[in-house]
Amino acid sequence: MPRLQVQAQRQVWALDFDGVVCDSVGESAIAAWKASAQYWPEMFARPEVVARREEIIDQLKVVRPVVETGYENLVLVRCLLAGVDPQAILKDWHKLLGEHMQLWGLDRSELLAAFGGMRDQMMQEDLAAWIDMNDIYPGVAEAVRRLVADHEAYIVTTKQARFAEAILHRLAGVDLPPERIFSQAETGAPKSEILHLLEERHPGTQYHFVEDKALTLHKVAAMPQLAHWNLYLVDWGYNTQEEREVVRRQDRIKLISLDDFHALA
């Protein structure tokens, strides 16, 4: 009976998008290559660079777990072309990102506009084809629809909101109003700040944050003001076996499978 009472209450669910709801690794790799070619046209006009397209796209899929915001994909393309080892990227990307942004004189806002602009261009040219480059993880669409119907559900993502909205609508059959999609890429607000805002907006209930980035969850777990949040690391997203093992050895963050998520939702 207590479980039925809890389930009847409208709880707050904050879901990351890429790596939790959507598998965008194929689309982001192709968009990154095209955006890079447009941003650095002279470099990408060289035959030796053109010849490495498929190799770099495959490597982008390998290093996908390090990406927090889309613009980083352009820096990854440059790094991979420069010969930076994918394993080194997986191990120490935050340090490498800062070093290469400085080395090449790159501007975050310009790269963000370049990556977003390429996605806009791809959508305008063939929306269905662009959406089909993405996938919704098995069973997640149904779980998200239940959360939207029964609870206070939000998307909290580093992806630009218009892209998440289009994919949710076309692939998952979910229509979320704009105020339910928080884009860190657009606002600059960290996810922890958004969680605090949601707790203030919906006081006195249960709170759930589902994420595929272990580092993000560890940051939230260390904040006493967010102690009311249940934290979940998904085992199907863009994280590594090492990160999952670290989570298994502590109690604050729960490692969940797709089946676990379906049961929770």
Side-chain angles (χ1 to χ4, degrees):
M1 186 62 68
R3 177 176 174 81
L4 292 175
Q5 291 172 352
V6 169
Q7 289 299 97
Q9 184 183 25
R10 290 186 70 84
Q11 303 168 24
V12 174
W13 285 82
L15 309 178
D16 180 36
F17 191 70
D18 292 318
V20 171
V21 177
C22 175
D23 183 3
S24 61
V25 66
E27 180 275 330
S28 64
I30 293 170
W33 179 268
K34 289 186 173 184
S36 298
Q38 193 173 77
Y39 195 73
W40 296 292
E42 292 184 6
M43 176 187 298
F44 281 76
R46 299 177 199 160
E48 65 271 23
V49 172
V50 174
R52 296 185 64 192
R53 180 182 185 273
E54 295 307 316
E55 171 200 347
I56 299 301
I57 286 176
D58 286 343
Q59 290 181 340
L60 284 170
K61 295 175 182 179
V62 172
V63 299
R64 179 61 181 83
V66 305
V67 177
E68 292 190 4
T69 306
Y71 80 92
E72 296 174 34
N73 282 291
L74 278 76
V75 190
L76 281 169
V77 170
R78 281 287 303 267
C79 285
L80 293 166
L81 283 170
V84 180
D85 183 70
Q87 292 306 311
I89 289 172
L90 286 170
K91 182 178 179 181
D92 207 8
W93 174 237
H94 289 286
K95 179 173 180 287
L96 291 170
L97 174 62
E99 289 175 352
H100 286 85
M101 290 281 287
Q102 184 174 10
L103 175 66
W104 293 324
L106 302 176
D107 180 80
R108 180 187 185 278
S109 60
E110 288 184 3
L111 295 178
L112 184 63
F115 192 58
M118 176 51 65
R119 277 179 158 162
D120 281 334
Q121 181 179 326
M122 292 167 69
M123 290 172 70
Q124 289 165 7
E125 289 173 352
D126 192 335
L127 178 61
W130 178 81
I131 289 177
D132 286 343
M133 292 180 191
N134 300 273
D135 286 304
I136 301 297
Y137 290 103
V140 169
E142 293 82 356
V144 171
R145 286 196 290 269
R146 289 198 301 271
L147 291 177
V148 170
D150 298 338
H151 299 288
E152 304 294 345
Y154 294 85
I155 296 294
V156 181
T157 179
T158 57
K159 201 184 198 79
Q160 288 165 289
R162 63 188 183 277
F163 304 135
E165 184 178 7
I167 293 169
L168 277 172
H169 173 73
R170 290 287 293 268
L171 295 186
V174 174
D175 291 306
L176 277 182
E179 64 270 17
R180 295 271 171 165
I181 303 177
F182 289 92
S183 169
Q184 186 178 353
E186 295 169 3
T187 66
K191 292 186 178 182
S192 57
E193 187 175 310
I194 300 305
L195 298 183
H196 184 67
L197 171 68
L198 293 179
E199 189 170 348
E200 288 186 332
R201 183 179 293 181
H202 304 283
T205 186
Q206 293 191 34
Y207 307 95
H208 308 273
F209 179 38
V210 185
E211 172 66 78
D212 75 311
K213 294 294 183 187
L215 179 61
T216 300
L217 289 168
H218 287 301
K219 288 179 180 177
V220 171
M223 297 179 178
Q225 66 270 33
L226 297 176
H228 294 132
W229 283 84
N230 296 295
L231 306 178
Y232 308 97
L233 178 71
V234 302
D235 70 0
W236 63 86
Y238 308 130
N239 47 57
T240 65
Q241 182 63 34
E242 181 181 0
E243 289 171 326
R244 293 191 286 273
E245 288 301 325
V246 170
V247 167
R248 282 192 180 98
R249 293 195 294 268
Q250 52 78 67
D251 298 324
R252 179 68 179 92
I253 304 166
K254 298 180 181 67
L255 182 68
I256 61 170
S257 66
L258 277 166
D259 287 342
D260 295 330
F261 181 57
H262 298 160
L264 286 166

